[in-house]
Amino acid sequence: MDTATYKTAVTQAFNQAAASYDRMGVEFFTPMGRRLVERVAPRPGERVLDVGCGRGACLFPAAERVGPTGRVLGVDIAEAMVAEAREAARRAGLTTVEARVMDGEHPDLPARSYDVVTGSYSVIFFPDAPAALARYAGLLADGGRLGFTSPVFTADTFPFLPPVFTELIPRELLRNLPPEWQPAELSRRFNSWLADPADLVRTLRGAGFAEVDVADEDVAMTAASGTAWVDWSHTQGMRLLWQHLPVRESAELRERLITALDAMRPGVGPLTIPVPVRYVTATVAR
Ligand SMILES: C[S@@+](CC[C@H](N)C(=O)[O-])C[C@H]1O[C@@H](n2cnc3c(N)ncnc32)[C@H](O)[C@@H]1O
């Protein structure tokens, strides 16, 4: 699969998901984005760029921190996500928040014009994220900080899914996925640099960063039921797996996941799963 085909598939998936993205009653992206912003700690008056902003999991916490004298720009390749983020900013009366359609891998923005660059669960979708990180170093002013999140990858992780869910997906159900959408192939192509903290640190140093910190912390993912989780999974990166699975396997996977997830619930109570998230922060090296 060439890069353009892959990017078009990602853009379409998130355009289709945008109306319900992070609004299905499953808690995950919002607390993760808030925690990432806490870790890079934008200060009053600073300029923040959020790449792959989605509906604004980082944008709005960042806007709170930079206050009325700062500004926050979110960019996303999916125009429907940008429309949702803009509408949320308008409703909140936040004139310091702007959202634009842009390929976050190749940001067309002035050099040294940001104090903080964030990207929560977004750089993991970039075909060449290390090259994008080097571009972010160029966008940051002296002393500028970078922060992004990713799943904590293990061998054979489905690239856009926390490992616990990969364990629940029987491999035989994935055998009819097109080869280029096989989990191992996607992970190898796009995310191998994220799996080992030592590789990550090396990659960030090579991209022009210092003081690299890699911290794995759990986000308590909650969902009302197995069905709620599976419905939600169609509104995030896992949509790419659902879209490429043949109908029979898709129906079977749905049933298997619902059963397995409901078995993890305490009686009729909601499902809570600690999901490890990798928070990476660094400072531009100059
Ligand atoms: C899992 S969502 C995360 C969104 C948001 N950061 C959050 O935490 O809720 C991934 C986002 O990355 C965006 N994305 C993927 N590839 C991108 C690219 N090349 N440039 C900009 N955005 C991209 C998707 O459209 C989607 O909105």
Side-chain angles (χ1 to χ4, degrees), residues 177-222:
L177 272 178
E180 65 274 23
W181 290 101
Q182 288 288 341
E185 171 57 14
L186 284 174
S187 281
R188 188 196 58 75
R189 248 189 98 179
F190 300 131
N191 292 320
S192 51
W193 64 285
L194 283 160
D196 175 358
D199 275 349
L200 249 172
V201 171
R202 242 189 324 275
T203 303
L204 279 157
R205 288 204 181 121
F209 290 92
E211 297 169 39
V212 182
D213 184 65
V214 180
D216 296 345
E217 270 181 27
D218 287 348
V219 170
M221 174 185 268
T222 57

Side-chain angles (χ1 to χ4, degrees), residues 240-258:
L240 290 161
L241 180 148
W242 290 116
Q243 283 180 338
H244 290 94
L245 262 187
V247 175
R248 191 185 60 77
E249 281 99 326
S250 176
E252 194 177 335
L253 180 59
R254 179 178 175 87
E255 284 317 307
R256 289 227 208 173
L257 278 172
I258 290 173

